[in-house]
Amino acid sequence: CCLTYTRESERGREGTEGTRRLGAEFTCLGLADMAVGRYTPDDVERLAAFFLARPPDIVLTHWQDDSHPDHAASVRLTVEALLRYAVSHGLDDVDASRRAFPQVWSCDTYGALGSHGVFNPEWYIDISAAWEHKRYAIEAHASQHPEHWIGQIQRHNSLYGARCNRQYAEGFCRLSLAFVNNIPAYDYLP
């Protein structure tokens, strides 16, 4: 799910094509580019509804310390939507809520450099067999000058691959949301 753009926009069409190349689905929420930080309660509800319609086992989002303002804001929006998602499963049964809540992982950012330090992955996924497929999907984003990004991403994925004895890998950090079972009900219940 892309928080920005519409499917009809240039970036939306590129995202649609890139995910098609990966064999995945693509959804846009239509928030304004460079303005995700101004999301509204309605935007939180729309993303929560997206999760409710497709209950996830794992959610991949941006890193909280990402230096791109839209990326950092998207984490906050995602966490708020996931809180609403958890509440929809009931606060009276903490175990049921915990079982229904997905794992949430943050992806890396530009060169692994955040606003306050370096991204240190705790989980690596071997993407060696999928590297060319990933490259093909990135090439769908013509307006973003993929030739620049492909070189940077390839070097970065090679570094992570070396850390786990593979040719290419992606790195992720678990987003700690232990507070989800202690959320104040009065903030989220209708």
Side-chain angles (χ1 to χ4, degrees), residues 50-71:
F50 176 83
F51 290 137
L52 285 166
R54 301 157 191 81
D57 294 318
I58 296 176
V59 172
L60 301 177
T61 187
H62 289 283
W63 180 34
Q64 292 171 307
D65 200 30
D66 197 307
S67 58
H68 190 295
D70 270 359
H71 296 179

Side-chain angles (χ1 to χ4, degrees), residues 14-188:
E14 291 171 346
T16 299
E17 176 58 20
T19 54
R20 185 198 65 74
R21 292 177 181 190
L22 293 172
E25 294 180 31
F26 185 71
T27 301
C28 298
L29 286 187
L31 300 181
D33 190 25
M34 296 305 295
V36 176
R38 294 193 299 268
Y39 64 86
T40 67
D42 286 342
D43 298 325
V44 173
E45 291 298 330
R46 286 190 304 137
L47 185 55
F50 176 83
F51 290 137
L52 285 166
R54 301 157 191 81
D57 294 318
I58 296 176
V59 172
L60 301 177
T61 187
H62 289 283
W63 180 34
Q64 292 171 307
D65 200 30
D66 197 307
S67 58
H68 190 295
D70 270 359
H71 296 179
S74 72
V75 176
R76 294 189 303 273
L77 173 54
T78 299
V79 168
E80 284 191 47
L82 286 169
L83 289 172
R84 300 232 186 227
Y85 174 82
V87 167
S88 72
H89 287 87
L91 293 176
D92 52 341
D93 185 347
V94 172
D95 288 330
S97 177
R98 186 176 290 128
R99 283 190 305 275
F101 201 78
Q103 294 183 38
V104 184
W105 293 85
S106 294
C107 65
D108 201 348
T109 187
Y110 307 111
L113 298 175
S115 298
H116 302 99
V118 177
F119 184 83
N120 290 309
E122 57 191 89
W123 184 41
Y124 296 95
I125 296 178
D126 178 6
I127 62 162
S128 302
W131 168 252
E132 289 302 323
H133 206 67
K134 176 179 178 173
R135 179 187 180 110
Y136 180 56
I138 294 169
E139 289 171 349
H141 298 269
S143 71
Q144 300 304 296
H145 309 286
E147 63 283 352
H148 164 77
W149 295 109
I150 288 172
Q152 180 180 357
I153 294 166
Q154 184 173 19
R155 287 187 299 277
H156 203 71
N157 289 164
S158 292
L159 170 68
Y160 285 166
R163 289 182 181 176
C164 62
N165 203 26
R166 300 292 185 261
Q167 184 177 7
Y168 298 110
E170 291 182 351
F172 299 88
C173 288
R174 183 125 191 211
L175 186 58
S176 178
L177 297 175
F179 61 86
V180 76
N181 292 313
N182 298 312
I183 55 178
Y186 54 85
D187 283 348
Y188 295 97

